[in-house]
Structures are given as C-alpha cells and as structure tokens.
C-alpha cells in the first residue's frame, strides 16, 4: 500500500513539473496573448470607471456639423490656418492650460481666393507664439535619410540603460518650422493597433537616430509637470512624482475609462460652436459657449468626421476618434490611473502553484469532495481576478489560469483513470474466483470503499463441513470422489455467490464464506442465514439417486457475526483475500457443534441478535467451545418467519432448557426425553437429556448453566 502510494505521489510530482513547463511555454504563445487581450476588453467593457475620467480635458471635434458650418461660410476642407488661429486665440483668452492639435501641419498653407497662404501661416504662427500653450503633432516615418535633430522639436533626457524599442524609425514628418519653433512642443502621434485592430497600448516615446522623442499625450503630461528629465527602470519610467508602468515590450497599457465618443466619458464640443463663440467674442456678442468651459483645461482638437479618416477602435468602442486616445492617456498620467501588471516571473510562479493546488484539490478519495474543492478554486480565482481589476486595476492573466486549472484537471483524471484501470483489473483478477461476477463489477466501481491492505469490518462468517466424509470416501475411487465433490461445491458456491457472499476458501470437504466484505452490507447476517436455508431447501428437493445427494444431505453449517480483519494475507509470493479474528474462529467451532446436537445449521448469539426479527431460531445451549474462555449462546436456525410452525417444540425446549440452567437436571431430563419421544423426534433434546443424566451422575460445583466442550 505504501509502495503504491509513493508511486502515485511520484507520478503526480512528475505531472506537476511537466504541466508547469508546458503551461509556461504556452503562456508565451501569440494565441494566448490574443485571447488575453479579449479578456482585457471584457474587463474594460464590464467594469468601467467613467467617473474617474479627468473633467479638465475637453475635446473639440471637427465633425460633420463643423464641416457643414464651414462650407456655409465658404471655407472648405482642408481649412486655412487662420481658421485654427481664430480658435486657438479664443481658447487662450479663455484661460486654457494647453491646446493640443491632433492635426498635422507639415506643409505650408496654400492660396485661396481671398486668403494669402503665407499670411495665413504667419497669423497662426503668431497666435501659437503668443498663446505659449500650443502642442503640435508629428509622425515618425521610415525613410532613406536621417532627420536633422536641430529642428526645435523636443527631445527627452532619459537616464539609465538603453531602452530596447521595437520601432526603428529614422525620420519625422514635422510641422513647418514657424509653427514648431513657436509651439510649446511637438509630440508624435503614431498609433499601431494590435493584430485585431484594437488600440490597447502605445509607446510613451520613440527612439529615432539615437534620440528619444515623446508621444503627444506624454509630452502634454511632461509639459504640465515641468519635467523633461526621466529615469528608466525595469518596466517603468520614473518622473519626480510618479513611476509610470510600461509593459515588457516598452509600451504603455492604456487604462480606458468607459465608452468613447460624444456620449462617452469625455466632454465633446463641435468645432463649429468654438468658431461661433470666437467670432461672437471678437464682435462683443454673446458667445455660444461659456468661456469657463475652457479655463484651466487641456483642450484637444481633432477630427471625428468619418471622411477625415482619424477613427480608431478601442476595447470599449468600435469607432473612436483618435484624439480620445490622447485624452485617455493624459488623464491616466496626470491622475496616476495606471494598470498594474504582474511581472513575468511571478506569473510563472503563480502557474506552478496553481497546478500544485489543483492537483491537491483533486486527490481526495471522494469525487464529490474533489470537485467541490475544484469549484471553490475556480470561483476564488475568478473572484480574485475580477476583484483586483475592479478595485485596483490590477491585471492578472485570466486565460492561462483557467487553462491551467482545466488542463491540470484533465491530467489528474487521466492519471487516475489509468491507475484505477490497472487497480480494477487487479481487483477483478483477485475477486472473480471468490464472488459473483455481477458483484465483481460493483466492487470495481466502488473500489474506494475498501482496502486490500487490511481493514476491520462487521461481517458474518459461514463454515460448512460434511458428516462422515472419511467413511463415505473409503468406498469411492479418487476420480469419483473428486467429481462428486466438485459438483457439490459448485452447487453450494452458486448459492453463496448469488446471495452476495464471498467464497473465502475451501477447507477439504468444507468451505468458508464471508458476508459483508469486500462489499459492505448491513444485511450480512441475513444473507448468510438465507444461504443456509436455501441450501437446506435444495437438499430436501433431492432424491437418493441425484448427484451430490449424500454430500448436500450431510452438510452441516456454522454461522457467526462480529468484527473481523479482512485483507490480502500471505507471503510475498502468494496472498489471498481473507478474514481473520475471533469471530471467524468461533464460527468454525459453532459449525463443529452441529455434530454434537445432530443439527444442520447452528448460529452464534451475535448473528441471532441481527436476524431474530426475520428468522425462527431456538436457543440450544450455552457453551464454552474449545479455545474460548467466554461462553456463548448457540441457536438452531429453523426457518424464515411464518414458514414452519414449531412454536410448541420451541416453547417446550426453552422450558426444559430453563430447568437445566437452574440446575434442576432431573426435571429437565424428563422434559427433554418427552420431546425426543414426541412427534418431533428432536435430536437436540436427546443430547440434552443425556447431558442431564451425566450431570446427575456427576454433580457440578457452582453450576452456572454453562457447559464446556472438550472437543472441537
């Protein structure tokens, strides 16, 4: 048993190690990452934080309404720079902290009928300079020539190691010189969605020809915090006030607040309303918009009209204006709304521990308990993932944890199936010789209910023997004797197996049967007694010419119940499943008492107590059998209740037995003799009459009503 347990222990240890390695490798696959992205989208969609979005960020949308308004005024797309200058000047006068253009001005304006392009650009450049709060956009490109870094565009001073950025750009599409030189700064607006087209992460800066350039939203944050000196740490960028987490790929994971667009978490204002308010203010008329809307705010101007092609997809919104990506990142950075991720080595450790926990939870012998533990584990893991996300925006891997639990569960089931399959074949081989084939299948399917290594159970033991077998065998050839004996054993064995008994062993011309093990049964005593009566009934149906008549007719049976130890007992070369204990020994002695009383079925007191409400029994005697110091009552098993009317015999015998126990041997003898000479011709009464005469002739000292047998 210990060797078997150790073997399974090693199998589970090996399974744990192999599963952990496989799952750690699988977790690095692109498929798992894609599915994890979908679970991230699910978390954003179902556990939003709309109330945390920064209200100091306002989005000015160049939408269809604004395009129509401009068309009505004779201004067509692309708009002249003075159109932007008018809006920028108005926003600065309203007290806007920053005005960010998610629009590229990388080429000079062109002449229109009444608008001079150079004058228009100069006007916008002057407004940018006077405002002092305008941030412009640029785009990183791949090209044949390098850019000139002395162009006025902001570069970042990042202390620490060389950051391994994946994008290898070498050019910038910059705003025209007069714009960028007068601006607060120029930020890069490159966005590369994931393979499924969803924007989940962006770089905070780009490395171009050895220099680091900020992304648009990151530049806005740096300018508002007046800090251009940064320090690179492992998976974070440190400023004077906060550490900004970045992913292993050096990207920043955007913390989306909720639905985007006009009805989303940020305030949208049509560009047409802004222009109308700017014009009204310059003419001392009432503005459409309240100037307080922009005081101290960060204003981002970008396109939302479908025809202007600046629409993206976020985890929560299929069609999202590109400028809301920058608004979200600015809100994240300024307020410290970061998504916290688990370092890769900790994910690997958690996978290893989760595999171990799942294996342990499934090792309980009862499947119901194992599956309950597994269910609790799944619930706790999911609650932990959702709880940490909802309250702390802590991102735990979801897919790999579920795969870990499921794959481990299937592996443990497979190991158990293979191990139990071998065990069941072993059990079948062991027990097919002993018990009914139908019971073997039940036993195999309930193999956890018993132990082959030894177990104490309440059982009933049945022994049989044949009267005068030696005398009978003297007149038979060995071949005839073996043939008849085999037929006899086949008959009585079939009766035992049919009644859920286990054939323990053959004892020469007898056998030992066990009821109540290996399959536990509360009716073990009833089944054993039923076997005895069925065999007697079979014997009564035989005629002297029938095969096995003599053996069946001359069979005597002893039955006793009690605690026994059952298990595989024997040597290293051969073992047998059997039962040992006082109850077994007493059953063998009780079987031998039949010879004394010339009865066929005697049961012990422990058995009689279990079946007294279902069978007719009579107490025969109180004996001390050989090898036992404690006296025991013995009973003759007569029949099932209601089948035979022997009330008169039993009552008379009990009356005589009472006199015998009280020491009135002469009176008892007379009553026993009357019973023997009556219509019943009761052999036990003859035996007891003879014993009474013996006690009359040899008066006992301190009589207690207990007779000691000197022979087996």
């Amino acid at each position: 048993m210990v060797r078997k347990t150790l073997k399974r222990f090693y199998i589970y240890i090996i399974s744990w190690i192999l599963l952990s390695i496989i799952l750690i490798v699988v977790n690095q696959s692109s498929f798992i990452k894609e599915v994890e992205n979908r679970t991230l989208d699910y978390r954003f969609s179902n556990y939003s934080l709309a109330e945390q979005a920064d209200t100091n960020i306002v989005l000015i949308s160049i939408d269809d309404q604004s395009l129509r308004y401009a068309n009505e005024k004779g201004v067509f797309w692309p708009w002249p720079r003075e159109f932007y200058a008018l809006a920028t000047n108005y926003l600065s006068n309203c007290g806007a902290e920053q005005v960010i253009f998610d629009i590229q001005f990388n080429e000079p304006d062109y002449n229109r009928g009444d608008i001079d392009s150079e004058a228009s650009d100069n006007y916008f450049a002057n407004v940018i300079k006077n405002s002092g709060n305008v941030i412009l956009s640029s785009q990183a490109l791949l090209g044949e020539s390098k850019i000139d870094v002395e162009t006025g565009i902001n570069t970042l001073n990042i202390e620490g190691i060389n950051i391994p950025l994946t994008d290898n750009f070498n050019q910038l599409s910059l705003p025209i010189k007069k714009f960028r030189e007068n601006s607060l700064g120029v930020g890069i607006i490159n966005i590369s969605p994931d393979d499924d087209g969803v924007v989940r992460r962006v770089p905070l800066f780009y490395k171009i020809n050895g220099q680091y350039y900020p992304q648009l939203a990151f530049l806005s944050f740096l300018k508002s915090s007046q800090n251009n000196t940064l320090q690179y740490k492992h998976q974070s960028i440190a400023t004077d006030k906060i550490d900004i987490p970045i992913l292993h790929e050096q990207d920043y994971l955007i913390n989306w607040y909720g639905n985007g667009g006009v009805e989303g978490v940020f305030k949208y204002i049509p560009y047409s309303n802004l222009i109308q308010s700017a014009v009204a203010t310059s003419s001392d008329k009432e503005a459409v918009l309240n100037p307080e809307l922009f005081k101290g705010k960060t204003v981002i101007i970008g396109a939302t009209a479908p025809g202007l092609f600046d629409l993206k997809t976020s985890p929560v919104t299929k069609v999202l204006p590109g400028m809301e990506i920058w608004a979200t990142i600015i809100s994240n950075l300024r307020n410290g709304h970061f998504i916290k991720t688990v370092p890769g080595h900790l994910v690997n450790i958690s996978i290893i521990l989760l595999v171990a926990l799942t294996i342990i939870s499934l090792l309980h012998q009862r499947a119901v308990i194992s599956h309950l533990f597994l269910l609790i584990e799944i619930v706790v893991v999911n609650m932990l993932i959702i709880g940490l996300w909802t309250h702390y925006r802590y991102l735990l891997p979801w897919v790999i944890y579920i795969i870990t639990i499921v794959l481990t569960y299937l592996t443990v089931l497979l190991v158990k199936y293979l191990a139990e399959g071998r065990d069941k074949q072993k059990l079948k081989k062991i027990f097919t010789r002993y018990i009914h084939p139908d019971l073997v299948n039940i036993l195999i399917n309930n193999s956890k209910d018993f132990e082959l290594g030894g177990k104490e159970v309440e059982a009933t033991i049945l022994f049989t023997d044949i009267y005068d077998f030696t005398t009978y065998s003297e007149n038979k050839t060995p071949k005839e004797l073996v043939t008849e004996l085999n037929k006899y054993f086949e008959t009585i064995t079939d009766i035992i197996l049919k009644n859920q008994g286990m054939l323990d062993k053959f004892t020469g011309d007898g056998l030992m049967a066990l009821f109540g093990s290996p399959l536990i049964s509360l009716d073990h005593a009833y089944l054993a007694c039923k076997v005895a009566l069925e065999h007697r009934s079979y014997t009564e149906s035989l005629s002297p010419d029938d095969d096995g008549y003599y053996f069946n007719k001359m069979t005597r049976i002893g039955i006793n119940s009690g605690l026994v130890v059952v298990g595989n007992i024997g040597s290293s070369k051969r073992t047998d499943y059997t039962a040992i204990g006082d109850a077994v020994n007493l059953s063998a002695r009780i079987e031998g008492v039949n010879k004394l009383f010339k009865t066929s079925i005697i049961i012990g007191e422990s058995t009689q107590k279990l079946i007294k409400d279902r069978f007719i029994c009579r107490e025969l005697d109180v004996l001390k059998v050989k090898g036992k110091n404690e006296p025991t009552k013995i009973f003759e098993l007569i029949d099932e209740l209601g089948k035979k009317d022997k009330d008169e015999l039993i009552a008379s015998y009990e009356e005589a037995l009472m006199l015998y126990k009280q020491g009135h041997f002469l009176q008892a003898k007379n009553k026993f003799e009357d019973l023997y000479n009556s219509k019943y011709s009761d052999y036990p009464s003859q035996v007891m009459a003879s014993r009474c005469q013996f006690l009359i002739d040899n008066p006992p000292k301190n009589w207690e009503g207990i007779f000691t047998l000197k022979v087996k």
Side-chain angles (χ1 to χ4, degrees):
M1 187 70 180
V2 173
R3 182 182 298 176
K4 178 179 174 182
T5 301
L6 285 175
K7 184 177 180 181
R8 289 195 179 181
F9 174 76
Y10 289 133
I11 290 174
Y12 286 122
I13 289 292
I14 293 171
S15 300
W16 173 41
I17 295 171
L18 290 178
L19 276 174
S20 298
I21 294 172
I22 291 170
L23 288 163
I24 289 171
V25 172
V26 167
N27 191 41
Q28 306 305 315
S29 68
S30 58
F31 172 75
I32 293 297
K33 292 178 180 179
E34 289 176 10
V35 182
E36 285 288 4
N37 282 340
R38 301 299 174 87
T39 70
L40 176 60
D41 298 348
Y42 170 83
R43 283 176 258 200
F44 279 126
S45 298
N46 291 274
Y47 305 99
S48 63
L49 299 173
E51 70 282 356
Q52 293 188 8
D54 197 331
T55 56
N56 287 317
I57 299 174
V58 179
L59 305 181
I60 304 298
S61 62
I62 302 175
D63 54 6
D64 286 333
Q65 172 186 325
S66 301
L67 292 175
R68 287 194 299 270
Y69 172 80
N71 290 344
E72 292 172 359
K73 301 298 182 182
V75 179
F76 301 98
W77 189 264
W79 291 339
R81 303 294 159 75
E82 61 184 28
F83 215 55
Y84 299 110
L86 183 62
T88 302
N89 189 57
Y90 172 73
L91 290 171
S92 297
N93 291 335
C94 289
E97 179 184 348
Q98 288 182 356
V99 178
I100 302 172
F101 279 94
D102 186 21
I103 301 170
Q104 292 192 70
F105 302 108
N106 54 348
E107 293 181 358
D109 201 358
Y110 62 91
N111 292 322
R112 293 167 176 84
D114 56 346
I115 298 177
D116 178 78
S117 61
E118 185 175 356
S120 179
D121 282 342
N122 290 336
Y123 178 33
F124 188 30
N126 288 331
V127 170
I128 291 173
K129 181 179 180 180
N130 294 332
S131 298
N133 62 354
V134 176
I135 295 177
L136 301 176
S137 299
S138 67
Q139 190 171 14
L141 302 172
L142 284 170
E144 295 180 357
S145 60
K146 295 184 178 182
I147 63 168
D148 179 8
V149 295
E150 300 297 333
T151 56
I153 184 174
N154 300 85
T155 57
L156 299 177
N157 180 14
I158 301 179
E159 299 177 357
I161 65 172
N162 187 37
I163 305 173
L165 295 177
T166 55
D167 291 331
N168 187 26
F169 300 105
N170 61 4
Q171 288 189 0
L172 282 174
S173 175
L174 295 168
I176 61 176
K177 186 175 182 178
K178 64 178 67 174
F179 292 167
R180 65 176 183 261
E181 287 180 344
N182 292 309
S183 69
L184 185 62
V186 178
I188 299 177
I189 58 173
N190 291 60
I191 295 177
S192 297
D194 291 334
D195 292 339
D196 57 0
V198 179
V199 177
R200 299 184 182 90
R201 65 206 82 216
V202 293
L204 292 179
F205 42 82
Y206 298 80
K207 186 178 181 181
I208 303 175
N209 299 327
Q211 297 290 335
Y212 295 105
Y213 297 91
Q215 163 245 89
L216 184 64
F218 190 44
L219 176 63
S220 169
F221 165 72
L222 294 176
K223 292 300 182 180
S224 63
S225 63
Q226 299 297 314
N227 187 357
N228 286 338
T229 302
L230 308 170
Q231 184 178 4
Y232 174 76
K233 297 181 179 179
H234 179 64
Q235 290 191 246
S236 72
I237 296 296
T239 69
D240 291 339
K241 297 180 180 179
I242 60 172
D243 285 357
I244 305 169
I246 57 176
L247 300 174
H248 179 70
E249 298 85 355
Q250 315 307 325
D251 286 339
Y252 172 75
L253 187 59
I254 304 171
N255 186 9
W256 299 96
Y257 296 100
N259 291 330
V262 177
E263 302 297 329
V265 297
F266 290 103
K267 185 174 184 59
Y268 274 75
I269 296 174
Y271 196 95
S272 57
N273 290 357
L274 183 67
I275 290 296
Q276 287 175 323
S277 297
V279 172
T281 301
S282 63
S283 305
D284 295 327
K285 295 181 180 179
E286 185 176 354
V288 176
L289 302 173
N290 186 342
E292 294 296 322
L293 280 174
F294 306 106
K295 187 175 182 180
K297 304 295 177 66
T298 294
V299 181
I300 305 176
I301 301 174
T304 63
L308 301 183
F309 307 108
D310 191 25
L311 300 176
K312 312 294 182 184
T313 299
S314 78
V316 289
T317 307
K318 289 185 177 180
V319 180
L320 182 79
M323 63 176 169
E324 190 163 335
I325 297 173
W326 312 125
T328 302
I329 297 172
I330 292 170
S331 179
N332 290 173
L333 297 175
R334 290 182 179 177
N335 297 283
H337 296 160
F338 302 130
I339 295 173
K340 306 168 190 68
T341 57
V342 183
H345 69 282
L346 292 182
V347 173
N348 294 340
I349 292 173
S350 65
I351 290 173
I352 295 170
L353 293 177
L354 192 57
V355 172
L357 179 62
T358 306
I359 290 175
I360 293 170
S361 70
L362 291 169
L363 290 184
H364 197 280
Q365 289 187 344
R366 294 183 60 187
V368 174
I369 301 298
S370 292
H371 286 91
L372 178 61
F373 285 158
L374 183 68
L375 179 62
I376 292 173
E377 180 184 355
I378 293 173
V379 170
V380 169
V381 168
N382 281 279
M383 289 180 63
L384 188 65
I385 290 171
I386 294 172
L388 290 175
W389 174 260
T390 303
H391 298 290
Y392 304 104
R393 272 305 193 254
Y394 212 106
L395 181 62
L396 292 177
W398 202 335
V399 176
I400 194 62
Y401 284 168
I402 298 302
I403 290 177
T404 296
I405 295 173
V406 172
L407 186 58
T408 306
Y409 169 73
L410 294 176
T411 301
V412 172
L413 283 188
L414 179 62
V415 171
K416 281 187 172 183
Y417 174 79
L418 295 176
E420 290 178 3
R422 289 192 294 268
D423 290 344
K424 288 178 179 180
Q425 289 300 318
K426 181 179 179 181
L427 289 174
K428 194 166 187 176
K429 183 178 180 181
I430 291 174
F431 286 105
T432 301
R433 299 180 295 164
Y434 303 139
I435 58 180
H436 194 278
D438 291 343
L439 290 181
V440 173
N441 293 328
I442 296 174
L443 179 65
I444 289 173
N445 292 328
N446 296 274
S447 58
K448 293 179 182 178
D449 293 340
F450 70 97
E451 297 176 16
L452 285 174
K455 183 177 182 180
E456 190 175 58
V457 298
E458 182 80 25
T460 296
I461 306 92
L462 180 148
F463 275 91
T464 72
D465 199 10
I466 300 173
Y467 283 112
D468 296 329
F469 176 77
T470 302
T471 302
Y472 178 81
S473 64
E474 289 175 352
N475 299 318
K476 297 288 183 179
T477 65
K479 184 176 182 180
E480 289 174 334
L481 185 63
V482 170
T483 300
E484 290 187 22
L485 198 57
N486 284 342
K487 289 181 179 179
Y488 159 71
F489 278 136
E490 185 173 356
T491 299
I492 194 168
T493 300
D494 285 345
I495 296 173
I496 291 170
L497 299 185
K498 183 182 70 174
N499 286 281
Q500 301 180 26
M502 189 197 85
L503 178 62
D504 188 292
K505 63 174 67 73
F506 292 107
T507 57
D509 59 320
L511 58 79
M512 170 184 167
L514 186 63
F515 297 82
S517 181
L519 279 178
I520 304 301
S521 172
L522 298 178
D523 281 338
H524 51 84
Y526 166 77
L527 293 169
C529 293
K530 188 167 177 287
V531 165
L533 293 178
E534 281 191 21
H535 177 261
R536 188 182 70 185
S537 177
Y538 169 76
T539 301
E540 291 173 351
S541 69
L542 296 175
S543 66
D545 296 329
D546 289 326
D547 291 338
Y549 169 78
Y550 178 82
F551 286 163
N552 285 288
K553 180 177 177 62
M554 303 303 286
T555 295
R556 59 185 183 229
I557 297 174
I559 299 173
N560 188 52
S561 303
L563 287 174
V564 297
V565 175
V566 295
N568 268 339
I569 297 174
S571 69
S572 59
K573 295 182 179 179
R574 178 177 176 179
T575 61
D576 281 315
Y577 188 84
T578 187
I580 58 175
D582 286 344
V584 177
N585 298 332
L586 184 55
S587 177
R589 298 291 183 268
I590 288 174
E591 178 275 313
V593 177
N594 279 294
K595 187 174 183 179
L596 173 66
F597 284 96
K598 297 182 181 179
T599 51
S600 61
I601 308 171
I602 294 180
I603 65 175
E605 183 179 7
S606 58
T607 302
Q608 187 268 344
K609 289 179 179 178
L610 295 173
I611 56 90
K612 62 183 179 180
D613 296 329
R614 305 171 80 169
F615 294 95
I616 302 169
C617 303
R618 68 161 163 171
E619 183 182 347
L620 290 177
D621 201 355
V622 181
L623 299 173
K624 282 186 180 180
V625 297
K626 190 172 182 181
K628 296 287 291 182
N629 293 324
E630 294 296 324
T632 181
K633 287 183 181 181
I634 60 171
F635 297 81
E636 181 185 14
L637 179 65
I638 295 176
D639 215 326
E640 292 188 50
L641 284 177
K643 285 201 172 183
K644 286 188 178 180
D645 184 10
K646 289 193 176 183
D647 292 345
E648 182 182 354
L649 168 64
I650 294 172
S652 299
Y653 189 91
E654 287 179 349
E655 184 180 346
L657 187 63
M658 182 60 67
L659 291 170
Y660 163 78
K661 289 180 179 180
Q662 292 172 352
H664 305 306
F665 301 124
L666 181 59
Q667 294 172 272
K669 174 190 171 186
N670 293 334
K671 282 194 171 291
F672 282 130
E673 286 179 341
D674 290 343
L675 275 175
Y676 176 68
N677 294 321
S678 70
K679 62 180 181 179
Y680 297 110
S681 298
D682 187 46
Y683 284 111
S685 296
Q686 182 188 35
V687 173
M688 293 303 292
S690 298
R691 182 169 325 150
C692 288
Q693 184 61 53
F694 173 81
L695 293 171
I696 291 171
D697 296 338
N698 303 279
K701 296 179 180 180
N702 303 320
W703 175 249
E704 295 178 345
I706 301 170
F707 189 78
T708 302
L709 288 179
K710 302 298 183 182
V711 295
K712 292 184 180 179

